[in-house]
Amino acid sequence: YNRSATPVDLSGWRLQALDASAQKSLFVVPPSTVLAPGAYYVFGSAAVPNVNQVVGTTDIWEDDNEALVLRDAGGQVVDSLVTEAFRG
């Protein structure tokens, strides 16, 4: 979600899916992708309404300790999410 009042160039931003041992998946936003103020960029399956980038539905996220990390084109962490951290 672009909460700013100016467009944001998402070209080269990366969504990483990780587990405790390794990176499982990596999705890179295509060149010339600009997010307007107040707009969303959605990663998801083709069945998701208004999806911007299809990432599939299998072998991406498991039912255990996992992390999603969103990095900008320079590699800085923009956001992250950890699920089932209690599993180690």
Side-chain angles (χ1 to χ4, degrees), residues 18-66:
L18 310 155
D19 65 14
S21 61
Q23 176 174 286
K24 296 184 53 85
S25 302
L26 175 66
F27 306 99
V28 181
V29 177
S32 304
T33 301
V34 177
L35 191 61
Y40 290 85
Y41 190 86
V42 179
F43 292 93
S45 79
V48 173
N50 302 313
V51 69
N52 296 97
Q53 186 165 342
V54 174
V55 296
T57 58
T58 60
D59 197 33
I60 299 172
W61 302 289
E62 298 172 345
D63 188 20
D64 64 3
N65 185 339
E66 299 283 328

